[in-house]
Amino acid sequence: MEAAAGGAEPAGGCAAAPEEPVVSLADVLAENEELEKEARAVLGGSDHERCSYSQGAVKRQALYACSTCTPPGEEPAGICLACSYECHGTHKLFELYTKRNFRCDCGNSKFKNLQCKLFPEKGKVNSGNKYNHNFYGLYCVCKRPYPDPEDEIPDEMIQCIVCEDWFHGRHLGAVPPESGDFHEMVCQACMNCCSFLWAYTSQLAVPTVTKVTSLEDERIVLNVKETEEKNREIKKESGGDHQGKIKEEVQVEQYNEPSTSSGSKCPETVTKSDEPVCKLRELQTKQSLKKDTATFWPSNWRSKLCTCKDCLKMYSELDVQFLIDECDTVLAYENKGTSDQETDRRDPLMDTLNSMNRVQQVELICEYNDLKTELTDYLRRFADEGTVVKREDIQQFFEEFQSRKRRRTNRMQYYCS
């Protein structure tokens, strides 16, 4: 770099060819494993072979909307993972991530010219399903697609656990905390509908910085106002450093966290409480800060909501009974998917061995050991010399390996004949 800056040129006057970016095998494997892990988490709790319609309104599942079959102007409809593969494989789909209490619509009366290949005997409509603009590929209060080709502002999309719409972080009325500091979010509109949650914010919610957002002028840097005084009030009411308290609660109550082990079960939904005093009523006697913002909540906060008779009735009237069900969380769904996938994953080598006779098994194991030994010796040369293994090096190894294998096979045939 210094020589180039001084005006020197490579011999011959030709510019040096740009070096090919080097990526280690470990980096590739790590990235691939992370992508597989995310896919297992999102899709693992859903069946990719059988339509979910027969299960009724599934508690939580991966959903898609088909823009080809139900474009804007038509009635919204959602399809399960299996139908997205089998019935809509070549169509334009919107990925909706997961939704709760939804029954697959594929092939019902909303689809004019399509019959479900996996479960044709569907009812005309699923009256219990809930729909929003996500089913047309639009999200947030700005009603824009994601990804948005016209949006140049880098932003994170966060899902509200009540309405299950997705929001840009800059459209929540508050600066979202760091992603690792909260687990769930309730949007502004849902906080207005579920105003009782404000009574819990001082004790449970993760503190935020409020801001003013103008949706009419989307391409400006948002005017952010820090409300340090309000944050101090929240910390005072919650008894000190709120972030420290959240981390302490998470550590102390880890046994309430949905487990990833296959034998684990989510805590049963509480239907009644023996407590004589309503937690909510106690909190409402104290002064609580109400703001026109979204709120952010740590793990296990649902378990701290009041479950007295009056509160259970209120949840039912507001149609938010799921708030006291810790198995309703996306985290619980992802953990279950990961656990189920890990249980179902089998070693392909062992599957192949089990399908062979004794002689074939011995031959395969010998071939595997030969490949492992030769590849290790081959790569060790590069490690000793400190050189990078390139694509052509690997291709050369397998070509030579196959050549040696053919020579060994030919000699065996000669001696046997």
Side-chain angles (χ1 to χ4, degrees), residues 283-336:
L283 291 171
Q284 287 174 335
T285 59
K286 303 175 184 179
Q287 185 179 7
S288 60
L289 269 171
K290 289 188 178 182
K291 300 176 286 187
D292 186 24
T293 68
T295 53
F296 303 85
W297 306 84
S299 62
N300 297 104
W301 73 279
R302 298 191 187 204
S303 64
K304 297 176 178 62
L305 296 178
C306 183
T307 54
C308 72
K309 183 178 179 181
D310 291 339
C311 283
L312 290 176
K313 181 181 178 182
M314 175 185 64
Y315 301 147
S316 179
E317 291 172 349
L318 293 173
D319 197 20
V320 292
Q321 303 96 313
F322 53 82
L323 284 179
I324 55 173
D325 180 7
E326 290 190 81
C327 282
D328 170 77
T329 65
V330 173
L331 177 62
Y333 169 85
E334 290 180 345
N335 286 344
K336 181 181 182 301

Side-chain angles (χ1 to χ4, degrees), residues 75-86:
E75 288 188 85
I79 59 176
C80 67
L81 176 63
C83 287
S84 74
Y85 293 153
E86 186 66 27

Side-chain angles (χ1 to χ4, degrees), residues 5-63:
E9 292 184 0
C14 297
E19 289 189 6
E20 206 174 302
V22 176
V23 180
S24 70
L25 182 60
D27 292 337
V28 174
L29 292 176
E31 182 180 0
N32 187 60
E33 177 61 27
E34 186 62 28
L35 291 173
E36 286 186 2
K37 183 179 178 182
E38 291 179 7
R40 288 198 300 270
V42 178
L43 305 179
S46 301
D47 193 329
H48 67 281
E49 295 180 341
R50 291 177 289 274
C51 176
S52 64
Y53 182 85
S54 60
Q55 302 174 43
V58 180
K59 190 168 188 174
R60 183 169 292 282
Q61 65 175 317
L63 282 183

Side-chain angles (χ1 to χ4, degrees), residues 111-401:
F111 294 80
K112 301 293 190 293
N113 301 309
L114 182 138
Q115 185 179 49
C116 180
K117 299 176 183 177
L118 299 176
F119 200 103
E121 303 83 18
K122 283 188 171 79
K124 289 186 177 181
V125 293
N126 296 312
S127 57
N129 287 353
K130 293 182 179 180
Y131 307 90
N132 59 17
H133 57 191
N134 293 172
F135 290 80
Y136 297 121
L138 303 176
Y139 307 89
C140 190
V141 290
C142 61
K143 293 180 169 54
R144 296 292 302 171
Y146 182 82
D148 187 349
E150 298 179 8
D151 187 2
E152 299 178 354
I153 304 174
D155 204 350
E156 181 182 18
M157 298 291 285
I158 307 173
Q159 188 179 32
C160 172
I161 63 165
V162 179
C163 66
E164 298 192 298
D165 193 3
W166 290 83
F167 296 84
H168 295 97
R170 63 187 186 272
H171 294 161
L172 292 172
V175 178
E178 293 294 325
S179 58
D181 293 339
F182 73 96
H183 282 250
E184 297 187 302
M185 182 273 289
V186 180
C187 72
Q188 292 165 279
C190 291
M191 283 301 297
N192 291 332
C193 295
C194 305
S195 57
F196 70 90
L197 287 175
W198 285 112
Y200 291 97
T201 55
S202 63
Q203 286 194 349
L204 301 180
V206 180
T208 60
V209 177
T210 57
K211 66 183 180 182
V212 179
T213 304
S214 174
L215 286 177
E216 296 176 359
D217 189 6
E218 186 57 40
R219 297 292 177 257
I220 63 171
V221 177
L222 299 174
N223 179 23
V224 179
K225 294 184 179 180
E226 295 191 4
T227 56
E228 295 179 358
E229 185 176 340
K230 291 183 178 180
N231 280 340
R232 282 198 294 271
E233 290 179 20
I234 294 174
K235 289 181 180 180
K236 184 178 178 182
E237 290 181 13
S238 60
D241 188 344
H242 198 80
Q243 290 286 0
K245 182 175 180 181
I246 291 170
K247 291 179 181 178
E248 181 182 348
E249 288 174 350
V250 172
Q251 184 176 3
V252 172
E253 302 189 14
Q254 275 186 334
Y255 59 86
N256 281 333
E257 195 76 31
S259 174
T260 58
S261 62
S262 58
S264 65
K265 292 183 179 179
C266 291
E268 291 185 6
T269 304
V270 181
T271 55
K272 64 178 181 179
S273 174
D274 296 329
E275 295 184 18
V277 179
C278 174
K279 294 180 187 177
L280 177 61
R281 195 172 294 118
E282 278 189 343
L283 291 171
Q284 287 174 335
T285 59
K286 303 175 184 179
Q287 185 179 7
S288 60
L289 269 171
K290 289 188 178 182
K291 300 176 286 187
D292 186 24
T293 68
T295 53
F296 303 85
W297 306 84
S299 62
N300 297 104
W301 73 279
R302 298 191 187 204
S303 64
K304 297 176 178 62
L305 296 178
C306 183
T307 54
C308 72
K309 183 178 179 181
D310 291 339
C311 283
L312 290 176
K313 181 181 178 182
M314 175 185 64
Y315 301 147
S316 179
E317 291 172 349
L318 293 173
D319 197 20
V320 292
Q321 303 96 313
F322 53 82
L323 284 179
I324 55 173
D325 180 7
E326 290 190 81
C327 282
D328 170 77
T329 65
V330 173
L331 177 62
Y333 169 85
E334 290 180 345
N335 286 344
K336 181 181 182 301
T338 302
S339 175
D340 291 347
Q341 285 282 330
E342 291 295 338
T343 302
D344 293 339
R345 288 174 76 188
R346 296 184 298 181
D347 188 339
L349 178 59
M350 294 306 299
D351 286 345
T352 304
L353 282 172
N354 291 334
S355 66
M356 295 178 172
N357 60 41
R358 178 70 175 172
V359 175
Q360 291 173 323
Q361 289 177 351
V362 173
E363 289 178 349
L364 178 60
I365 293 172
C366 290
E367 288 288 341
Y368 172 78
N369 287 332
D370 288 343
L371 173 61
K372 180 180 178 182
T373 301
E374 293 190 31
L375 182 58
T376 301
D377 293 339
Y378 182 76
L379 295 177
R380 185 177 289 116
R381 299 206 312 263
F382 291 88
D384 293 340
E385 296 171 3
T387 56
V388 176
V389 183
K390 298 181 179 179
R391 182 194 301 270
E392 51 265 30
D393 296 323
I394 298 299
Q395 290 176 340
Q396 179 184 348
F397 167 80
F398 280 103
E399 287 173 1
E400 293 177 354
F401 180 80

